[in-house]
Amino acid sequence: GRLYVNRVFHMSADKMFELLFSESLFIHRFMDARKITGATFTPWQRDGSGSMKRTLKYTITITNPLVGKFSTATEMQTLYKDSHEGQYYMVDAEVYTHDVPYHDYFYTFNRFCIIRNSKHKCRLRVYTDVKYKKQPWGLVKSFITKNSWSGLEDYFRHLEAELLEEEVELTRGSGDS
Ligand code: YK8
């Protein structure tokens, strides 16, 4: 896998969790900017193991010329029970893109770790991996992997940039350090 984001942000761990994992204005604006439409979110619900789960469905707009312009997607998120409010959050997201070529072979696994640094600082780490449900032919596999990495890199670079913008908004005039 790859580590796409690994940086300290000038906001609390709670704030970061709220921005990314509630139906925040931030995430709605980010989805608009990525042309991710028709998003539905189930509420966070506790499962048998004590973790929390929710499911997102949306339609993504794809810029890769090899692929159709749109795909529906399902994202299943798990917030681990050993996450401690205010201190540490770990969320795994499995993303299935239903309408791209070879969609029945792979999905994307994203792991988000939000770690409290101090009252007004946290570290965000995003690790992503392309996972295979069945083994495709070697050439197909490298094709899928290569095209997934480029799309993911673009997405997480943009997410990081938008979080940095948000950080500026949040710290403006607050005087915290
Ligand atoms: C989520 C991974 C692959 C897919 C795409 C498919 C190429 C098909 C390969 C062929 C278009 C928001 C991606 C990047 C679409 C976007 C997905 C996003 C960024 C040519 C064989 C959508 C995170 C996420 C996970 C997986 C990404 C897809 O929050 O290349």
Side-chain angles (χ1 to χ4, degrees):
R2 296 187 180 184
L3 197 59
Y4 275 123
V5 182
N6 182 20
R7 113 174 3 248
V8 173
F9 289 87
H10 196 282
M11 63 179 83
S12 67
D14 283 337
K15 187 70 197 178
M16 181 64 83
F17 180 78
E18 181 200 312
L19 291 179
L20 296 175
F21 298 107
S22 72
E23 289 184 51
S24 62
L25 190 56
F26 173 84
I27 207 71
H28 280 288
R29 282 188 181 144
F30 183 66
M31 285 178 151
D32 284 348
R34 299 298 303 180
K35 299 195 171 66
I36 294 175
T37 60
T40 62
F41 301 71
T42 65
W44 284 107
Q45 270 180 323
R46 201 166 293 281
D47 71 2
S49 73
S51 295
M52 306 283 271
K53 288 204 151 77
R54 68 170 190 170
T55 302
L56 282 65
K57 288 182 196 275
Y58 42 78
T59 300
I60 54 173
T61 304
I62 300 169
T63 50
N64 186 328
L66 298 173
V67 188
K69 217 175 163 342
F70 303 101
S71 175
T72 56
T74 304
E75 174 162 348
M76 270 109 79
Q77 298 180 342
T78 304
L79 167 63
Y80 285 94
K81 70 154 176 286
D82 38 279
S83 298
H84 290 289
E85 215 169 307
Q87 298 290 327
Y88 175 74
Y89 297 89
M90 187 166 92
V91 177
D92 282 352
E94 287 181 4
V95 184
Y96 294 82
T97 43
H98 306 297
D99 310 304
V100 303
Y102 305 107
H103 60 88
D104 47 336
Y105 282 89
F106 74 101
Y107 64 95
T108 305
F109 171 88
N110 298 324
R111 170 165 285 177
F112 295 79
C113 295
I114 302 169
I115 306 140
R116 180 194 150 115
N117 245 13
S118 67
K119 192 161 182 239
H120 298 289
K121 279 183 186 163
C122 69
R123 177 177 293 276
L124 174 67
R125 282 211 189 99
V126 184
Y127 162 91
T128 92
D129 205 0
V130 181
K131 302 264 197 195
Y132 288 87
K133 287 187 280 179
K134 47 184 185 185
Q135 282 304 313
W137 186 45
L139 259 177
V140 169
K141 190 173 178 177
S142 59
F143 187 57
I144 294 170
T145 307
K146 182 174 157 282
N147 282 283
S148 297
W149 285 142
S150 62
L152 286 158
E153 181 173 359
D154 183 58
Y155 180 85
F156 285 113
R157 202 188 288 137
H158 190 182
L159 182 65
E160 183 171 339
E162 292 298 323
L163 285 169
L164 288 169
E165 288 279 305
E166 189 67 21
E167 179 189 70
V168 171
E169 290 301 311
L170 290 167
T171 47
R172 181 166 292 159
S174 81
D176 303 328
S177 57

